[in-house]
Amino acid sequence: MISLRQHAVSIVGIFLALAVGVVLGSQTLAADLLSALRADKSDLRQQVDVLTEQNRRLGEQAVAADRFIAGSSGRILGGALTDRSVVVFTTPDADPGDVDAVNKALEVAGAGVTGRIALTEAFVDATEGDRMRSAVTNVIPAGAQLRTGAVDQGSMAGDLLGLVLLLDPATGQTRSTPEELGLVLETLRGGGFLAYGETPVRPAQLAVVITGNGVAAAENGVGANSARFAGALRGRGAGVVLAGRAGAADQQGPIAVVRADAALAAQVSTVDNLERELGRVTTVLALGEQLNGGAGRYGTGAKATALTLAAVPG
């Protein structure tokens, strides 16, 4: 007969064996898990190394391409816009380096830049809409009328500035007097909507709207107002190109807004890689395309249909 003491010793022995088994088993499991994690870490490190090397090579190729295109820009753009005139607009987030590069490319192409106008934060900010619409309606040239569909601030301002700053595509003539043009520009500058230098701004055949990376595009309708401004300009002139960096083609960026609207996309050419030499050359070539009645979506961003386009006869 088993005594109570022997029974207790047996139970203790069983539990002790279980405990030892659990400890030994957990140690084996932990060792296996640790070994697997080390292997995964090694694999991930190798993948990172491979991707880093690929990124380095792609970066070097992009820099080499920029150098080649910059060195060839004279052959690519020479004569593309000879005897053509262009007015340059910039949104508040436009990169100064991009602006300078586009102006240089226009010069290489033989275009005459008739003015450089900076749109201010107030110009594209929807909270300033009522104030800007009031300013616009008070300086419409005598006998002129804004398009009835232009009701938002971007469209109204683009329609008015297109009317006084872009030559009539049908006749090649101005549609305002120098005094009327001066009044429009000075009124909008006085209201804090535009900024430009002391050199008089003159009418042009074409317009380029240079924007940035679209970081603040969703705030107060900034992206939409910039896009509609470009679209309204195009309605009054022979051609408009909206050019910016990759982010401007995403979400509510101005290029994205144009590309998402079938009517705007059919009229305004867009370029979304302006930080690269190819984008700058494409911007100028796209102006030539506009003169010939075409429009395109160029770059590497969302809804782009081609990286660039062939040279278009001026």
Side-chain angles (χ1 to χ4, degrees):
M1 181 177 180
I2 299 175
S3 66
L4 181 60
R5 184 168 179 269
Q6 289 174 323
H7 184 66
V9 169
S10 298
I11 293 175
V12 169
I14 292 170
F15 279 107
L16 182 60
L18 287 173
V20 170
V22 169
V23 170
L24 293 175
S26 63
Q27 288 179 341
T28 301
L29 180 61
D32 292 343
L33 181 60
L34 184 59
S35 177
L37 289 173
R38 284 172 177 165
D40 288 345
K41 181 180 179 181
S42 178
D43 290 342
L44 289 173
R45 183 179 289 114
Q46 290 177 3
Q47 292 178 35
V48 168
D49 290 344
V50 170
L51 292 173
T52 299
E53 178 61 18
Q54 290 178 349
N55 189 58
R56 183 190 66 79
R57 291 178 181 174
L58 290 172
E60 289 180 350
Q61 291 173 10
V63 171
D66 279 343
R67 289 173 181 164
F68 175 78
I69 294 170
S72 305
S73 61
R75 294 191 296 275
I76 299 171
L77 297 177
L81 294 178
T82 298
D83 297 327
R84 304 298 186 181
S85 52
V86 182
V87 60
V88 178
F89 293 93
T90 60
T91 66
D93 65 338
D95 186 277
D98 295 344
V99 177
D100 290 342
V102 169
N103 277 289
K104 181 179 178 181
L106 289 169
E107 180 182 342
V108 170
V113 176
T114 64
R116 299 177 179 88
I117 300 175
L119 311 181
T120 66
E121 296 282 356
F123 188 100
V124 294
D125 187 342
T127 63
E128 295 279 0
D130 289 341
R131 193 168 69 87
M132 194 167 81
R133 281 190 288 269
S134 177
V136 166
T137 54
N138 285 331
V139 291
I140 299 173
Q145 186 175 1
L146 296 186
R147 300 181 188 278
T148 56
V151 293
D152 61 273
Q153 71 195 77
S155 296
M156 288 184 68
D159 195 29
L160 176 64
L161 288 172
L163 182 67
V164 299
L165 268 176
L166 295 182
L167 302 178
D168 188 327
T171 66
Q173 302 300 310
T174 60
R175 288 170 289 200
S176 65
T177 66
E179 292 75 21
E180 289 169 334
L181 170 58
L183 177 62
V184 169
L185 294 179
E186 284 300 317
T187 299
L188 292 178
R189 180 163 71 171
F193 300 113
L194 299 179
Y196 50 90
E198 295 307 314
T199 303
V201 178
R202 295 175 288 109
Q205 293 172 291
L206 304 162
V208 175
V209 181
I210 302 174
T211 190
N213 203 30
V215 174
E219 298 176 10
N220 299 322
V222 168
N225 280 325
S226 299
R228 289 168 185 153
F229 168 74
L233 273 181
R234 179 63 180 88
R236 291 291 187 176
V240 172
V241 174
L242 174 62
R245 298 194 167 202
D250 294 333
Q251 298 178 354
Q252 298 180 55
I255 291 176
V257 173
V258 169
R259 291 177 176 178
D261 185 307
L264 286 178
Q267 292 294 316
V268 178
S269 289
T270 52
V271 181
D272 64 42
N273 57 340
L274 198 56
E275 69 274 21
R276 310 236 63 108
E277 289 292 339
L278 181 60
R280 296 159 182 176
V281 167
T282 301
T283 297
V284 175
L285 294 177
L287 284 171
E289 178 188 44
Q290 286 271 299
L291 278 171
N292 285 277
R297 305 190 296 275
Y298 304 109
T300 57
K303 295 189 177 181
T305 56
L307 186 59
T308 188
L309 70 162
V312 179

